[in-house]
Amino acid sequence: MSEEEAAAGLRWNNNVSVAAIALISYEYLILLDKEVEYVWKRPWSFMSCLYLVVRYFGLFLAMVCACWGGLLYIPESVIVLLSSCYDLIVLIEWGFSVYFCFAEVILIWRLYAICNQSKLVLHVLVGLFVPVVALSIGTDIYLYSRRSVFSVQEVITPNAKYCTLSFKIGPMLAIYTSIPIMCYDILLVILAAFTLVKHVVEQRRIKMRPNTYMVMIVRYHIVYFALNLTNQILLVILWADIPKPAMSLAELFNGTAPFILAPRLIISIWDTHANEQCIHVSTTFADCVCWTSPPNFEQHEMDPCVEHPESTFSTDKEVVEV
């Protein structure tokens, strides 16, 4: 790497790092008041625990990725820092996989809720998710935990020394390992869309509008699928020999977008539920009942959300956290 290329890489590194830190900080601050209201001031639930994991573990990973940026300053001995840089990359890649698993668990739990709490759907989704997790672990071990696959290199400039990574194999293996993950996300999107279509047909039959939460959850499934597809494509691109500007922009997207969407998915559901004009909400709004079964017309006067025609909560279903 020439002196000019190193200088250009550092400029891109600094610009992308500042942008990533600004985005993550802004996102954290604008959701902080709702987090305090819906998480810290409410009884604990399974979904609130998932929220805290994706919120703060994602915040940690985003800040680490922002500080990394593809180039890391070496203030001490090269040998010691090269080892720490390598460990940092391994931490980031394994952290992405762990975060992906928690984000998928949130989507599975949402689908379980909108599918009328079907145990069959839950068991099938979890059964198919276990091999995906195993594949993710195997990929991290084979691709990101061996020095023969990628290495940390020293970049020397007149004023400082930096370390950066370089891959020793092509992107084909990363492409093959990402295919099952994308197929699983496609399955989640198809199931969510099918459930929404079925719900819309049932609601039209009784001349009622689709449930707000049902539409919101399916919309987030589609958005998350598009996000994860883009994320997987960019992760594969990083294995190819691409220019520094393209790599920096790809790292900016991978280091911010996934950590913004998952917490927002949870907060938006809670916020919508909290603002519903219901006469009485019998449970904490983090623990919603399933919405796919419309109330009987004879029971409509007794429905706790009778003021909202969109709400089609089934009062005879057990509570499930969403």
Side-chain angles (χ1 to χ4, degrees):
M1 180 181 292
S2 65
E3 181 178 336
E4 293 77 9
E5 291 175 340
L10 289 176
R11 285 195 296 270
W12 274 100
N13 175 75
N14 294 336
N15 294 336
V16 168
S17 296
V18 170
I21 293 175
L23 283 173
I24 295 299
S25 301
Y26 175 77
E27 176 69 14
Y28 178 80
L29 292 176
I30 62 176
L31 288 184
L32 182 58
D33 58 336
K34 295 181 180 180
E35 176 186 323
V36 172
E37 180 180 358
Y38 301 151
V39 178
W40 300 110
K41 292 184 179 181
R42 299 285 176 171
W44 290 97
S45 67
F46 176 70
M47 192 55 64
S48 63
C49 294
L50 283 178
Y51 170 82
L52 292 177
V53 171
V54 298
R55 172 74 152 168
Y56 288 98
F57 184 60
L59 180 65
F60 166 76
L61 286 178
M63 289 303 177
V64 171
C65 292
C67 294
W68 163 256
L71 288 169
L72 189 67
Y73 175 60
I74 301 180
E76 299 176 3
S77 70
V78 175
I79 297 178
V80 174
L81 259 293
L82 285 180
S83 176
S84 63
C85 286
Y86 177 86
D87 296 337
L88 179 62
I89 293 300
V90 173
L91 171 64
I92 291 175
E93 297 300 337
W94 277 86
F96 273 122
S97 297
V98 173
Y99 188 88
F100 161 78
C101 292
F102 279 106
E104 292 290 306
V105 169
I106 294 175
L107 296 182
I108 292 172
W109 196 252
R110 300 291 195 189
L111 270 178
Y112 168 64
I114 67 175
C115 289
N116 212 20
Q117 305 175 41
S118 171
K119 298 295 184 182
L120 177 61
V121 171
L122 180 62
H123 293 161
V124 170
L125 293 180
V126 173
L128 294 176
F129 184 57
V130 171
V132 173
V133 174
L135 175 63
S136 179
I137 294 175
T139 302
D140 287 337
I141 294 175
Y142 188 80
L143 292 182
Y144 300 108
S145 301
R146 299 189 305 145
R147 294 181 183 271
S148 60
V149 176
F150 76 95
S151 62
V152 178
Q153 296 179 334
E154 178 184 355
V155 178
I156 301 176
T157 65
N159 300 320
K161 294 180 180 180
Y162 298 83
C163 61
T164 183
L165 64 89
S166 63
F167 297 102
K168 299 180 179 180
I169 63 174
M172 294 309 301
L173 186 58
I175 293 176
Y176 295 148
T177 56
S178 65
I179 291 176
I181 297 176
M182 298 313 305
C183 290
Y184 186 78
D185 284 338
I186 292 174
L187 172 64
L188 296 183
V189 170
I190 292 175
L191 181 59
F194 174 78
T195 304
L196 176 61
V197 171
K198 180 181 177 182
H199 171 73
V200 170
V201 171
E202 291 177 349
Q203 294 297 93
R204 286 183 177 178
R205 186 179 300 121
I206 59 176
K207 298 181 179 180
M208 297 179 67
R209 287 185 290 177
N211 184 269
T212 304
Y213 304 108
M214 179 82 71
V215 177
M216 183 182 300
I217 290 176
V218 175
R219 183 192 306 131
Y220 271 104
H221 269 78
I222 296 174
V223 172
Y224 181 82
F225 168 74
L227 169 72
N228 197 32
L229 177 61
T230 306
N231 187 59
Q232 291 294 329
I233 293 174
L234 293 178
L235 287 176
V236 171
I237 290 177
L238 292 179
W239 283 83
D241 187 13
I242 60 176
K244 180 60 181 178
M247 178 175 289
S248 297
L249 293 177
E251 290 172 345
L252 174 62
F253 181 88
N254 290 341
T256 55
F259 310 125
I260 291 176
L261 181 62
R264 276 194 168 273
L265 169 61
I266 304 176
I267 284 289
S268 60
I269 298 293
W270 289 343
D271 194 41
T272 302
H273 195 173
N275 293 325
E276 284 287 336
Q277 300 177 1
C278 298
I279 297 175
H280 174 67
V281 178
S282 58
T283 61
T284 305
F285 51 79
D287 307 321
C288 303
V289 293
C290 187
W291 316 299
T292 56
S293 299
N296 296 328
F297 287 109
E298 295 82 0
Q299 298 176 349
H300 190 67
E301 295 294 330
M302 301 299 294
D303 191 279
C305 294
V306 65
E307 293 184 2
H308 257 257
E310 299 94 342
S311 300
T312 58
F313 295 106
S314 175
T315 57
D316 58 344
K317 296 288 183 181
E318 64 178 85
V319 172
V320 58
E321 303 165 355
V322 299

